[in-house]
Amino acid sequence: TFTAWCNSHLRKAGTQIENIEEDFRDGLKLMLLLEVISGERLAKPERGKMRVHKISNVNKALDFIASKGVKLVSIGAEEIVDGNVKMTLGMIWTIILRFAIQDISVEETSAKEGLLLWCQRKTAPYKNVNIQNFHISWKDGLGFCALIHRHRPELIDYGKLRKDDPLTNLNTAFDVAEKYLDIPKMLDAEDIVGTARPDEKAIMTYVSSFYHAFSGAQKAETAANRICKVLAVNQENEQLMEDYEKLASDLLEWIRRTIPWLENRAPENTMQAMQQKLEDFRDYRRLHKPPKVQEKCQLEINFNTLQTKLRLSNRPAFMPSEGKMVSDINNAWGGLEQAEKGYEEWLLNEIRRLERLDHLAEKFRQKASIHESWTDGKEAMLQQKDYETATLSEIKALLKKHEAFESDLAAHQDRVEQIAAIAQELNELDYYDSPSVNARCQKICDQWDNLGALTQKRREALERTEKLLETIDQLYLEYAKRAAPFNNWMEGAMEDLQDTFIVHTIEEIQGLTTAHEQFKATLPDADKERQAILGIHNEVSKIVQTYHVNMAGTNPYTTITPHEINGKWEHVRQLVPRRDQALMEEHARQQQNERLRKQFGAQANVIGPWIQTKMEEIGRISIEMHGTLEDQLNHLRQYEKSIVNYKPKIDQLEGDHQLIQEALIFDNKHTNYTMEHIRVGWEQLLTTIARTINEVENQILTRDAKGISQEQMNEFRASFNHFDRDHSGTLGPEEFKACLISLGYDIGNDAQGEAEFARIMSIVDPNRMGVVTFQAFIDFMSRETADTDTADQVMASFKILAGDKNYITVDELRRELPPDQAEYCIARMAPYTGRDAVPGALDYMSFSTALYGESDL
């Protein structure tokens, strides 16, 4: 084996050896062998035949081997010159280890382990091959055949080989290697099969020849791995871009669909319908919007992570499609929240308006019913011609009765005006049933005008007759004059006692209660007036009984009877305790409303400042430096967990807010915080802590990818914080320049220094916002201090796969790269147009520059 290995190299120098211990004794061929395998010139050999000349030549060879870092233990020139077989073979094995095996390294392993790992990887896909060592693993010959087939599949039909025919397998491999790969036959198939444990050194020597024969393919594999790594980064980034575009589109589409719903201010006619709208809005705030808040936060995090990965892989920054920038999302979100605020205000105002409308409509119906009841039959009465056949006393009575009616009519004028005013207010408030209200009001007004005209006409008729008729019953007249106002007072009292009311505060219900108590204080005087009026009627009855006057038992001046007065008086007395009960119930409701206000205010006054405090604490955490980035990240996540655990208090406040809305409470003097303030603050708090965590994660990603140590990161943070004097988390241009100078960055005050600083600002502030964030600062410092893969490196890798050509073919790409990445390149590479182009040639150079944003892909 060793002889064959030596001859494979000496053949290049035009010589051979037949016997190692004899042919190397004079040292001449030994020196020649070392020159061939090292490519270096040794000291001039001694050409004499004397023993001293031979020893000198062998020493020169041994000195050269030692100069390559090889320790020669117990091997001396004299033993070699004397033809010591053991020493000579030991020396040759040392040379083989140093010049044929030592340089083999796979994944930073030792030479032997590296060669074994290379064999295992190359033969892994082949059945019946399991390389675990350099002796018995090779006895069946399939390992040698697999190495050849892996690199030159056209030389061996591996499918026809059998594990139970080792001689055929070994001879096939040895013959093919010698004939087509220029690897001499160093082993004997019969010796390997007939030996329980083949010689490990012989196997390693022979296998190393395969490794060197296929070293060109190994370079291609290394180049292919580099390209695959770069393409994988591009494919991952493109997927992240597609995910961002889809998430941004979905979120904008949801906002686009939601805003018209929030801007739809079509009013409903009933309180129930408006309450349903309010409930739908609460469902939106409670169920539909929170997931979208999370999506918006995740979108910003994905965008920041993607930009960091692009910077770390030396790719150009990602520019979303038109209208899908993070700022566009924020603007659209701001419009959504503005629409929310306007919609909620409109809902509450509409509910308040409908409540007012329902109250007015009921009041209109009550007053109209009372008035219509009073006017029933009045037109027929005024149109009677009874005065034409009446006696003088009857005419006098008719005239007085008419005067009493006119007094009653005048007393009802105020109610008619109230009815008209309520109808007008219902029209102005856009009451849904205004047509029927207007029709009823118009009918009442027309009837009122007709009553006035009929009253005037009857008075004129009675006054004409009055000249003929003079008798009048004074007592009846007095009764009528006093009974009518008292009756009208009772009707007004009943109307007031049954009048519905709407209040919003304890003070308002207390005002109504005070007025009611004042009314009750007038009842004793009213009862005296009732008894006086009944006394007049009793006096009339006495006169009629005493003087037998034929009055037919009725008062000619009024239709109000004592029975009616007593009935209405009893009704008034019954209505008073009912009014007491209604006022008491309303007072209790207002007390409950006040308790709700205080309960909400107490919680809001705690939660509002808590949210503000947490926002300030997050701001301090984001600019302070304590421990490693992982410590900061763990601290922030614990902080985030404590914030999320506070959510039940927000939910509890939402529940109290819902009770307040259901109770139609529209103001709260116990707090300056509204539910809208709390909601917006809570959403900002969640978004801020998530964004801060993402910034630290990106800093870790930057540190690890760029090889920045924790000490460097701490130094960068300390310098940044020192010049961030306003604790805003950003540096202005002058602050940033001072920070760079403090870190040893040379920026002069001359024109060249200004130009250099302008270049740096274009990198850290590409949008020209006038500020530098800590992440941009870290990216710049890592870019200045770390090494990354470049377009030139990728181009050089493609050149290896292409066999040093200026172009590459489809077949070469598919042969050297995994299928998905090969197709990725084929789909994007432009045709090669150089003078040496062949059909189907692809331009890998422009493709490589496009990967790094130096040209269009």
Side-chain angles (χ1 to χ4, degrees), residues 547-814:
Y547 298 99
H548 307 287
V549 176
N550 185 18
M551 300 301 295
T554 60
N555 190 328
Y557 304 112
T558 182
T559 59
I560 302 173
T561 66
H563 178 73
E564 184 178 355
I565 290 175
N566 285 332
K568 290 183 178 180
W569 176 256
E570 186 61 29
H571 192 202
V572 168
R573 291 183 59 193
Q574 292 174 355
L575 290 175
V576 168
R578 295 179 190 173
R579 184 74 168 185
D580 288 336
Q581 182 65 27
L583 290 172
M584 287 175 60
E585 291 175 354
E586 181 61 27
H587 190 271
R589 190 175 76 86
Q590 290 302 324
Q591 285 181 323
Q592 174 62 18
N593 288 354
E594 186 66 11
R595 282 194 294 273
L596 290 175
R597 290 188 182 96
K598 290 180 178 179
Q599 182 174 326
F600 178 86
Q603 291 189 77
N605 289 337
V606 172
I607 293 175
W610 181 87
I611 291 176
Q612 182 61 36
T613 300
K614 294 300 177 184
M615 289 289 288
E616 294 172 357
E617 290 176 358
I618 293 172
R620 288 197 298 271
I621 291 173
S622 65
I623 64 174
E624 292 175 353
M625 179 181 63
H626 297 294
T628 65
L629 289 175
E630 285 75 6
D631 293 338
Q632 296 177 39
L633 185 60
N634 290 333
H635 180 56
L636 284 171
R637 284 176 174 160
Q638 290 296 322
Y639 203 81
E640 181 185 39
K641 184 177 180 181
S642 69
I643 290 174
V644 172
N645 289 338
Y646 200 78
K647 182 64 164 58
K649 295 186 182 294
I650 305 296
D651 295 338
Q652 181 181 353
L653 191 66
E654 283 282 7
D656 292 343
H657 177 63
Q658 181 171 342
L659 293 176
I660 282 180
Q661 287 191 330
E662 290 172 352
L664 299 178
I665 300 173
F666 301 105
D667 56 352
N668 193 345
K669 65 183 179 180
H670 301 292
T671 182
N672 292 325
Y673 292 98
T674 67
M675 197 64 231
E676 182 65 25
H677 293 149
I678 301 298
R679 290 170 185 151
V680 172
W682 177 251
E683 291 173 1
Q684 289 178 346
L685 180 60
L686 291 178
T687 300
T688 301
I689 186 64
R691 186 182 296 117
T692 304
I693 288 174
N694 180 246
E695 289 175 356
V696 176
E697 290 174 338
N698 284 341
Q699 290 176 25
I700 293 174
L701 189 62
T702 301
R703 181 199 66 191
D704 294 343
K706 298 298 186 179
I708 301 175
S709 66
Q710 186 62 48
E711 291 71 17
Q712 285 178 302
M713 186 65 75
N714 291 343
E715 181 184 5
F716 294 157
R717 169 56 82 182
S719 298
F720 189 91
N721 288 348
H722 175 76
F723 292 98
D724 181 17
R725 295 182 176 89
D726 58 356
H727 304 295
S728 64
T730 60
L731 298 180
E734 292 303 318
E735 294 172 329
F736 177 57
K737 180 187 288 187
C739 184
L740 289 179
I741 293 173
S742 72
L743 292 172
Y745 209 99
D746 186 16
I747 301 177
N749 292 322
D750 53 8
Q752 183 177 356
E754 291 298 323
E756 172 63 10
F757 185 66
R759 180 190 71 81
I760 295 173
M761 284 300 295
S762 68
I763 296 173
V764 298
D765 184 21
N767 296 323
R768 298 182 180 179
M769 303 298 292
V771 294
V772 180
T773 65
F774 182 68
Q775 184 61 45
F777 170 67
I778 290 297
D779 288 342
F780 172 75
M781 294 306 297
S782 63
R783 184 181 303 174
E784 293 295 309
T785 59
D787 184 25
T788 61
D789 59 280
T790 65
D792 290 339
Q793 292 174 330
V794 175
M795 205 179 303
S797 298
F798 273 117
K799 193 175 185 69
I800 293 173
L801 298 187
D804 285 336
K805 299 191 300 293
N806 292 324
Y807 60 85
I808 195 167
T809 66
V810 171
D811 290 340
E812 288 170 334
L813 287 171
R814 288 175 174 160

Side-chain angles (χ1 to χ4, degrees), residues 183-364:
I183 298 175
K185 190 179 295 186
M186 301 182 188
L187 304 174
D188 183 84
E190 286 75 7
D191 288 345
I192 294 177
V193 173
T195 305
R197 177 186 171 99
D199 184 78
E200 187 176 51
K201 295 178 181 179
I203 298 292
M204 284 183 65
T205 302
Y206 188 53
V207 171
S208 68
S209 298
F210 281 89
Y211 177 86
H212 291 295
F214 298 134
S215 61
Q218 186 68 22
K219 291 181 180 178
E221 182 178 342
T222 302
N225 287 336
R226 175 184 287 275
I227 292 171
C228 288
K229 179 181 177 182
V230 172
L231 293 180
V233 171
N234 255 48
Q235 289 171 313
E236 180 185 2
N237 290 341
E238 287 178 1
Q239 184 61 49
L240 289 175
M241 294 175 191
E242 290 177 7
D243 293 344
Y244 174 89
E245 291 281 341
K246 183 179 186 307
L247 188 56
S249 298
D250 292 346
L251 187 57
L252 286 171
E253 175 62 20
W254 178 81
I255 294 174
R256 185 191 66 77
R257 292 197 314 268
T258 303
I259 286 180
W261 173 66
L262 293 171
E263 291 179 342
N264 179 14
R265 309 295 162 82
E268 299 290 344
N269 293 332
T270 64
M271 178 73 78
Q272 182 179 2
M274 287 305 297
Q275 288 283 8
Q276 184 58 49
K277 278 184 177 286
L278 182 59
E279 188 61 33
D280 292 342
F281 179 72
R282 288 174 182 150
D283 286 343
Y284 158 78
R285 292 302 301 265
R286 184 170 59 249
L287 302 176
H288 303 301
K289 186 184 177 187
K292 299 302 177 182
V293 173
Q294 292 297 322
E295 287 182 15
K296 174 176 174 291
C297 179
Q298 190 61 46
L299 189 73
E300 294 182 15
I301 290 173
N302 291 352
F303 182 83
N304 293 335
T305 300
L306 174 59
Q307 298 293 39
T308 299
K309 287 188 174 182
L310 289 173
R311 286 192 295 270
L312 294 178
S313 57
N314 206 21
R315 269 55 166 192
F318 168 55
M319 287 298 293
S321 302
E322 180 73 22
K324 295 181 184 177
M325 294 286 291
V326 173
S327 58
D328 297 323
I329 304 295
N330 288 333
N331 291 337
W333 192 265
L336 175 72
E337 294 188 329
Q338 189 65 31
E340 283 180 12
K341 181 179 179 182
Y343 187 68
E344 187 173 31
E345 291 176 354
W346 173 78
L347 281 175
L348 297 178
N349 288 334
E350 275 298 299
I351 290 174
R352 193 179 302 173
R353 182 181 71 84
L354 287 176
E355 183 187 36
R356 173 68 177 163
L357 283 175
D358 288 345
H359 172 70
L360 288 175
E362 180 61 26
K363 195 168 187 177
F364 174 83

Side-chain angles (χ1 to χ4, degrees), residues 127-177:
K127 64 181 180 178
N128 297 326
V129 178
N130 183 18
I131 304 301
Q132 298 298 326
N133 49 57
F134 285 111
H135 37 83
I136 61 175
S137 293
W138 303 86
K139 284 188 66 174
D140 59 11
L142 291 178
F144 295 111
C145 292
L147 284 179
I148 297 173
H149 185 269
R150 178 63 184 269
H151 297 90
R152 296 288 300 276
E154 76 279 4
L155 298 180
I156 291 180
D157 187 354
Y158 188 84
K160 293 183 178 181
L161 300 177
R162 304 199 319 271
K163 186 175 181 65
D164 59 358
D165 190 6
L167 281 175
T168 300
N169 299 338
L170 288 167
N171 285 322
T172 299
F174 298 163
D175 293 341
V176 169

